[in-house]
Amino acid sequence: MTSTERKKAILERVSRNKSIQITDLVEQFDVSVMTIRRDLAELEEKKYITRVYGGAVLNEEELNKPYFPRAEINSDIKDKIAKKASELVKEDDTLILDLGTTVLQVSKYLGGKKGISVVTCSIPVINELEKYPNVNVFSLGGELKRDNHAFLGSGTEKEIEKYCADIAFIGCAGISFEFGLTNFYHQTAYLCSKIIKQSKKVILLADSSKFGKAKSAVVGKLTDIDALITDDGIPKEYLEFFERSGVDVITVENKKID
């Protein structure tokens, strides 16, 4: 196992358990205490965890940001990305929309689409689509998570297996070469990974501020997506990587709407 793979596994474990012990990690990865301490130091430097005596705890500072204030961050760019995404939807398509704030914006552009069906766990998306009688809406069950304004958990994860989507629109909180696609919460990350498996085409919606960052919960690899819609501030190295990997990249202009 490489250093990068080990740190990724450590992040996945701490995102599930909220805390980890050095002794457990030494046993799990069969490496020295010094190696684990070095890994934890690097993860703490990037603010993913906070080291404590004998181990580390998840850094939940960013996890506590409310949903709707987060939706206002880069809202103009998110709206442009969402509008471009909606142009890819064809008549009679079945879509899965995750609970990201950029994906929410997509639902606002679906009113003119004929015969489409939308599967989602997001309450704000459902509330938006309720306005459009021509859109068939299927809500995923599960436990109501008020901070996320969505249904999550094992029930939601099981329910998604009943659907096959033409297109899934997903978001994420971080995009990095080291950890791939990541999110704030383990539950939302795992659900997103299930959505990817249930879709013929996966389109990631993410503004350029997400690149070079990683959050605590891993969604999947950068190559798990078929297309990316972002703004023209995307770092050159990521643009070149996606183009080499056969991922379609669509960019919108990174300027605020007057």
Side-chain angles (χ1 to χ4, degrees), residues 17 24 29-30 33 37 47 50 54 67-68 72-73 82 94 116 120 122 125 130 158 161 217 223 249:
N17 302 325
D24 293 338
F29 299 111
D30 192 24
V33 171
R37 284 178 175 166
K47 300 183 179 180
T50 300
Y67 179 91
F68 286 108
E72 293 303 314
I73 299 173
T94 295
I116 67 169
T120 188
S122 167
V125 168
E130 185 183 15
K158 190 68 176 176
E161 295 176 358
T223 52
V249 179

Side-chain angles (χ1 to χ4, degrees), residues 3 27 41 57 119 121 126 128 142 153 158 165 168 173 186 206 225 234:
S3 173
E27 181 179 354
V57 296
V119 181
C121 67
I126 293 170
E128 180 65 32
K158 190 68 176 176
H186 177 71
I225 63 174
I234 177 176

Side-chain angles (χ1 to χ4, degrees), residues 69-80:
R70 196 167 71 242
E72 293 303 314
I73 299 173
N74 296 328
S75 59
D76 292 334
I77 297 300
K78 289 178 179 179
D79 186 71
K80 288 183 177 182

Side-chain angles (χ1 to χ4, degrees), residues 27-202:
E27 181 179 354
Q28 178 181 349
F29 299 111
D30 192 24
V31 294
S32 69
V33 171
M34 288 303 298
T35 297
I36 292 300
R37 284 178 175 166
R38 188 164 52 247
D39 288 343
L40 295 181
E42 291 179 17
L43 293 173
E44 183 179 49
E45 185 178 355
K46 295 181 178 180
K47 300 183 179 180
Y48 305 150
I49 62 168
T50 300
R51 285 185 292 173
V52 297
Y53 182 76
V57 296
L58 185 65
N59 184 353
E60 298 190 85
E61 179 181 353
E62 292 191 81
L63 302 188
N64 295 325
K65 291 181 180 178
Y67 179 91
F68 286 108
R70 196 167 71 242
E72 293 303 314
I73 299 173
N74 296 328
S75 59
D76 292 334
I77 297 300
K78 289 178 179 179
D79 186 71
K80 288 183 177 182
I81 290 171
K83 186 175 182 180
K84 181 63 67 174
S86 70
E87 295 171 4
L88 303 179
V89 178
K90 302 188 297 294
E91 186 175 330
D92 297 324
D93 272 351
T94 295
L95 314 176
I96 298 178
L97 302 187
D98 83 353
L99 64 158
T101 56
T102 306
V103 175
L104 167 61
Q105 297 298 103
V106 176
S107 63
K108 300 177 181 181
Y109 290 101
L110 297 179
K113 306 293 182 180
K114 295 181 180 179
I116 67 169
S117 298
V118 176
V119 181
T120 188
C121 67
S122 167
I123 294 173
V125 168
I126 293 170
N127 288 340
E128 180 65 32
L129 294 178
E130 185 183 15
K131 305 173 186 176
Y132 312 124
N134 55 306
V135 178
N136 301 308
V137 182
F138 298 88
S139 174
L140 297 172
E143 181 183 358
L144 174 63
K145 296 293 186 178
R146 290 173 175 82
D147 289 345
N148 289 289
H149 297 272
F151 294 100
L152 294 169
S154 58
T156 315
E157 294 154 11
K158 190 68 176 176
E159 191 74 12
I160 196 65
E161 295 176 358
K162 299 178 182 179
Y163 297 94
C164 175
D166 296 296
I167 302 175
F169 289 114
I170 65 170
C172 68
I175 305 167
S176 69
F177 291 125
E178 191 173 14
F179 295 108
L181 309 177
T182 54
N183 221 325
F184 291 110
Y185 299 91
H186 177 71
Q187 277 190 326
T188 59
Y190 185 67
L191 177 62
C192 193
S193 69
K194 298 275 284 186
I195 289 172
I196 288 171
K197 293 177 182 178
Q198 299 302 124
S199 307
K200 299 175 186 175
K201 185 172 186 177
V202 179

